[in-house]
Amino acid sequence: FLPELQSGQKESDGWLQKVYVFGNVVLSRQYGQKEVCLVSARDVVAASDGGYITVGTILLKDDSTDIGVMKTDASGQVVWCRAYNGTRDDAQSPATPIFDEGFSIDASSDGGYAVAGTTRATIRPEGAVVDDSDIIVIRLDEDGEVIWQKEYGNRGAETHWDENPYSIHLTENNGWVIAATAHADYGFRQPDQHFLVLRLRNTGELFWSWPRQENNAFPYDADEGDDLDRATAYDAIELADGRIAVIGGR
């Protein structure tokens, strides 16, 4: 479906450009107001039919945002554009509105895709008002229909952490690896951040993580001796021997 945008909206548009190996532009198209589609684009992969799949953000009429995924043909014409959003099932912390953004996408071996993004909402635990952001992964078939959707984060932890993904890639056994960063704002001192890598099974279940998950939470505050506090993981790939290589910075 195509979400409704505000009349006269002046947000930025998504943009797709294809170049040859020597830099010659062979395709350049802009998307947004006319197509009622992406207002920002973050990542793109080739589709099995020669077209392209782009992930980004869609702005809705109530000023909230959804994850947007756009399929184009080889010439850049829009085939479909769909919106996806996260869920909040914590009855004690009602959360509205929800702000979701798409950051990375990769193709699966069956012709479908996996999208990594964030789902952010204002939650009100015990009268307090805070923003909460978790990682959301959405597994799609080739037509953009949802196969499964899962969220990962430290919701409800004593220290408030926001998890944000930078990349998602397919692994040899049709699972997924995600490079991400967690941020904590204590309000009274410099915010913390921590390196985060998730390894998922093909069903979306967490296979392992770094730091290792304990009691359904990631112990960022634990002293692991890994020197990964205040670090960011930007990308992660699986090597031929099954190990994961990660690139990041501090």
Side-chain angles (χ1 to χ4, degrees):
F1 72 96
L2 298 180
E4 183 179 4
L5 298 183
Q6 294 191 32
S7 175
Q9 185 181 335
K10 298 298 184 181
E11 296 296 323
S12 61
D13 294 341
W15 179 64
L16 174 67
Q17 185 174 79
K18 178 182 179 181
V19 297
Y20 281 130
V21 65
F22 295 112
N24 298 319
V25 176
V26 294
L27 169 65
S28 182
R29 293 184 66 88
Q30 189 172 358
Y31 307 91
Q33 302 302 316
K34 294 181 180 179
E35 286 84 4
V36 196
C37 198
L38 303 181
V39 296
S40 68
R42 299 292 185 93
D43 199 9
V44 62
V45 293
S48 58
D49 62 0
Y52 307 94
I53 297 284
T54 304
V55 66
T57 301
I58 290 174
L59 182 64
L60 305 180
K61 189 174 182 179
D62 64 356
D63 284 333
S64 65
T65 58
D66 276 351
I67 295 170
V69 178
M70 181 179 67
K71 171 71 165 64
T72 67
D73 62 20
S75 65
Q77 297 292 331
V78 176
V79 178
W80 51 259
C81 185
R82 294 178 179 268
Y84 308 90
N85 52 58
T87 59
R88 281 294 192 274
D89 55 9
D90 185 352
Q92 296 180 348
S93 300
T96 54
I98 291 176
F99 297 92
D100 300 311
E101 296 181 85
F103 288 95
S104 184
I105 189 168
D106 199 12
S108 61
S109 58
D110 61 2
Y113 310 92
V115 173
T118 58
T119 178
R120 174 181 291 276
T122 299
I123 63 175
R124 298 170 176 82
E126 299 179 355
V129 178
V130 297
D131 284 338
D132 177 68
S133 177
D134 290 336
I135 294 170
I136 181 172
V137 176
I138 307 171
R139 178 74 163 84
L140 307 175
D141 66 16
E142 61 182 358
D143 297 316
E145 298 293 335
V146 176
I147 298 174
W148 52 257
Q149 175 176 319
K150 295 185 181 295
E151 297 174 20
Y152 313 86
N154 273 12
R155 190 184 313 163
E158 182 177 348
T159 300
H160 173 64
W161 290 87
D162 288 335
E163 289 86 8
N164 299 282
Y166 286 95
S167 71
I168 185 168
H169 292 296
L170 182 69
T171 59
E172 183 65 26
N173 64 350
N174 293 318
W176 306 92
V177 60
I178 298 169
T181 299
H183 303 268
D185 189 350
Y186 297 96
F188 56 86
R189 60 182 174 90
Q190 183 178 359
D192 280 349
Q193 65 183 42
H194 201 285
F195 184 100
L196 176 62
V197 177
L198 306 180
R199 177 73 162 76
L200 308 181
R201 301 182 190 275
N202 60 5
T203 57
E205 300 299 325
L206 184 65
F207 182 31
W208 58 257
S209 65
W210 192 261
R212 295 180 178 87
Q213 191 180 56
E214 298 176 1
N215 299 319
N216 295 317
F218 303 108
Y220 304 119
D221 294 321
D223 182 10
E224 301 172 345
D226 55 16
D227 199 31
L228 295 179
D229 59 319
R230 303 192 184 279
T232 298
Y234 290 115
D235 203 1
I237 59 170
E238 185 182 40
L239 304 177
D241 61 5
R243 292 184 296 175
I244 301 298
V246 184
I247 188 172
R250 299 189 67 184

